[in-house]
Amino acid sequence: MKRFIPLFLALLVLPFIWSSCSSRKTTTRFQQAYGLLNSAPDSALSLLGEIDKFSLSEKDLAVYSLLYTIAQDKNGLDVDSDSLLGIAYSYFKGREQDSLYAKCQYYMGKYYLLNDSTRMAEECLTQAIRVSKEKGDYYTTYLALDRLSKSLNRSNPKMAVRYAKEAYQIYQDKFSNNFSNQVFLLMSIGNSLTLANEMDSAHVYLRKALHLAEESKNEELISGAYQSFSGFMQEQEKNDSALFFAKIAWERAPKKSISLASNLAYAYLMADSVSQSMELLTQLCQAKSSITRQTAYK
């Protein structure tokens, strides 16, 4: 009988050993995916896709859900569904000490903005800013500040300017290694200043964004900078100038986005070029499958 005891103990312990090994493997994959989110988000998405989410613990499922959401976002897919993100949010919302709490709040805020729940979005983004600052997570801080600034552009333009400038300053101090993000942040400040009716300051920032975009020789950035100038002119009801810059934005764009086409059609309309506006809109309807969505940054 005694010789069966070791075998019995081995069988008893085996599930715990297997569970421990499986947990370590999952943790390793999470770490690998997290490291790939910025440099190779498609690889991160592929790696996460290999994980059997139905076998995960509550915490691991929350981590998986958040990382998968971030990977999708980094691949240019809108975070407009809470099927996965909601799992992460439910788990992390009462756990401010967790290192992923602020990131979860940021992406939930982004989700709410995409679904027109502005008040909920601003609450989540404010939480993300507060907690990420406390933890020294400057990347999440600047992202949330920039997103909150955009949300406040119409309702509280003065506050929007403040947040946009803070986001830019953090990026300059802590990162400043990406032309695209610097240009977009400068445009964000310029757009906020425009809506705050601080036109001279807005012009300075938008010019700076255009100069940096031209320096990068990135046609997509250059197109975006000219589009911001078009909006700047529209706000001042300088419709001919708005059309001029909208045309350049359209011509310089390597990919013709729906947003650019719509803005150009509107610029034509406001400049009393109704026939050209209608012609462009007709072309847009006919060729919408070949016109891409505007590329996200960060």
Side-chain angles (χ1 to χ4, degrees):
M1 179 68 180
K2 290 182 178 179
R3 64 186 177 186
F4 290 105
I5 294 176
L7 178 60
F8 173 75
L9 291 174
L11 291 173
L12 188 65
V13 173
L14 187 60
F16 295 99
I17 296 174
W18 173 261
S19 175
S20 177
C21 291
S22 178
S23 178
R24 283 199 297 270
K25 185 177 180 180
T26 299
T27 301
T28 299
R29 284 191 174 180
F30 283 163
Q31 291 171 342
Q32 291 172 337
Y34 190 85
L36 291 168
L37 286 175
N38 289 322
S39 60
D42 52 340
S43 297
L45 203 58
S46 177
L47 187 63
L48 290 167
E50 296 173 2
I51 296 174
D52 177 14
K53 60 179 179 290
F54 298 105
S55 66
L56 298 176
S57 66
E58 181 186 13
K59 179 180 180 179
D60 283 346
L61 181 58
V63 174
Y64 169 88
S65 300
L66 180 58
L67 293 182
Y68 201 91
T69 298
I70 297 173
Q72 285 182 309
D73 180 64
K74 297 291 184 181
N75 276 285
L77 303 173
D78 283 340
V79 185
D80 56 4
S81 171
D82 68 346
S83 57
L84 275 179
L85 184 56
I87 295 171
Y89 182 70
S90 296
Y91 179 83
F92 287 114
K93 68 178 180 180
R95 294 175 166 86
E96 288 190 19
Q97 297 308 311
D98 196 292
S99 60
L100 293 176
Y101 172 86
K103 282 182 170 57
C104 190
Q105 288 288 325
Y106 167 72
Y107 279 95
M108 201 68 198
K110 191 171 184 178
Y111 160 78
Y112 280 131
L113 282 178
L114 288 169
N115 288 276
D116 298 320
S117 300
T118 306
R119 183 181 64 81
M120 295 296 292
E122 291 174 359
E123 286 180 7
C124 287
L125 292 170
T126 300
Q127 278 287 90
I129 292 165
R130 179 181 66 80
V131 176
S132 62
K133 279 183 176 179
E134 290 173 0
K135 294 188 176 300
D137 180 4
Y138 298 108
Y139 185 72
T140 301
T141 302
Y142 107 80
L143 286 178
L145 282 166
D146 179 64
R147 194 68 54 178
L148 183 56
S149 171
K150 288 179 170 63
S151 176
L152 292 170
N153 260 337
R154 294 289 178 181
S155 62
N156 193 342
K158 296 288 186 182
M159 188 64 72
V161 170
R162 173 187 159 188
Y163 287 143
K165 287 183 175 180
E166 188 177 352
Y168 178 69
Q169 191 59 55
I170 288 174
Y171 192 82
Q172 285 292 94
D173 291 345
K174 303 297 181 181
F175 308 103
S176 67
N177 58 352
N178 185 304
F179 264 118
S180 298
N181 288 348
Q182 289 183 71
V183 171
F184 278 113
L185 287 166
L186 286 168
M187 286 193 294
S188 183
I189 297 172
N191 294 337
S192 296
L193 285 164
T194 299
L195 294 172
N197 201 32
E198 297 182 34
M199 296 303 178
D200 290 342
S201 295
H203 187 268
V204 170
Y205 277 97
L206 292 174
R207 274 289 176 194
K208 191 173 181 179
L210 180 57
H211 175 75
L212 197 60
E214 291 279 11
E215 188 178 332
S216 75
K217 302 187 186 304
N218 182 320
E219 291 296 316
E220 186 175 3
L221 283 182
I222 295 168
S223 172
Y226 275 111
Q227 186 56 55
S228 284
F229 256 108
S230 178
F232 172 68
M233 294 300 174
Q234 285 178 11
E235 288 292 328
Q236 299 176 86
E237 298 183 355
K238 297 179 179 179
N239 296 323
D240 289 338
S241 295
L243 176 58
F244 173 77
F245 288 117
K247 283 180 178 178
I248 298 176
W250 176 259
E251 291 164 0
R252 298 294 294 267
K255 297 178 182 178
K256 308 303 183 186
S257 72
I258 292 173
S259 175
L260 279 173
S262 300
N263 286 330
L264 179 56
Y266 180 75
Y268 272 126
L269 184 63
M270 297 307 294
D272 294 326
S273 300
V274 179
S275 60
Q276 287 171 294
S277 178
M278 293 302 297
E279 182 182 347
L280 182 60
L281 288 172
T282 301
Q283 292 174 1
L284 176 61
C285 292
Q286 293 173 345
K288 63 181 179 180
S289 61
S290 65
I291 297 180
T292 64
R293 298 175 70 123
Q294 197 162 17
T295 303
Y297 73 104
K298 306 184 186 76

